[in-house]
Amino acid sequence: MIQATFETDWDYWNSLHADAPRYQAEKERVAAEVLARLEAHYPGLAAQVEVTDVVTPYTTWRYTLNRRGAYEGWLPTPEVITTTIPRTLPGLADFYMAGQWVIPGGGVPTCLNSGRDVVRILCRRDGRPFVTSRPR
Ligand SMILES: Cc1cc2nc3c(=O)[nH]c(=O)nc-3n(C[C@H](O)[C@H](O)[C@H](O)COP(=O)(O)OP(=O)(O)OC[C@H]3O[C@@H](n4cnc5c(N)ncnc54)[C@H](O)[C@@H]3O)c2cc1C
């Protein structure tokens, strides 16, 4: 399997999506161009392709509802990386947040850690020790 990832623009794909045939044609054009460029490095590759799947920011939005099709949370700039994002919302009792929007950068490992953080917060709230055990 080969995965090719590129920076691209939400507004472009989001508005293009309104025109289904053009959206589809553009995805096919991008796939063909990527394959042509890879072919230069791996001669014969194009003849071996069985399946191609093109994902746009619109696709990510459709599956996750992430703002503007973001594939991770906040961009980890020096300013953001040192910021602690609250896990609760004022006026909303018993509500705790976990996931890529409460940890700069996001990604699966940090999201898992943010779930652990919420358990720690709950333990502290309930006066219980936070303990972990290894799965057997
Ligand atoms: C193409 C791609 C490749 C990636 N590769 C990697 C990688 O290699 N390594 C890595 O660590 N991370 C990777 N990531 C990032 C990682 O997938 C995310 O950071 C992580 O999944 C975010 O977890 P989350 O629980 O915060 O949100 P999500 O996994 O987005 O879960 C949010 C869930 O909430 C649901 N939802 C949204 N709004 C509502 C609503 N109003 N009502 C009900 N449900 C709702 C969504 O449908 C979704 O199921 C990748 C992401 C993408 C898109």
Side-chain angles (χ1 to χ4, degrees):
M1 190 184 85
I2 295 179
Q3 178 180 329
T5 310
F6 308 97
E7 274 192 31
T8 188
D9 184 60
W10 160 256
D11 292 326
Y12 174 72
W13 289 103
N14 185 40
S15 54
L16 190 63
H17 177 263
D19 184 343
R22 277 190 58 220
Y23 178 73
Q24 192 56 37
E26 181 65 347
K27 291 209 302 183
E28 286 166 15
R29 187 193 68 77
V30 169
E33 188 171 331
V34 169
L35 191 56
R37 291 184 184 211
L38 286 173
E39 178 74 24
H41 296 279
Y42 305 101
L45 179 74
Q48 298 177 52
V49 173
E50 294 176 6
V51 177
T52 304
D53 191 20
V54 179
V55 173
T56 74
Y58 180 84
T59 317
T60 305
W61 176 82
R62 188 160 58 83
Y63 278 101
T64 67
L65 295 179
N66 264 326
R67 188 171 184 273
R68 296 169 70 85
Y71 76 96
E72 283 196 345
W74 309 108
L75 189 69
T77 61
E79 186 193 355
V80 166
I81 210 89
T82 53
T83 302
T84 303
I85 301 166
R87 310 299 164 87
T88 55
L89 292 177
L92 193 57
D94 298 328
F95 177 81
Y96 299 89
M97 295 182 283
Q100 64 180 2
W101 295 107
V102 294
I103 301 264
V108 173
T110 47
C111 290
L112 294 174
N113 214 30
S114 75
R116 178 187 164 110
D117 287 348
V118 167
V119 177
R120 293 178 87 107
I121 293 169
L122 292 174
C123 285
R124 198 179 314 128
R125 183 196 70 179
D126 297 344
R128 297 170 60 175
F130 174 79
V131 287
T132 59
S133 60
R134 283 188 178 190
R136 294 185 184 182

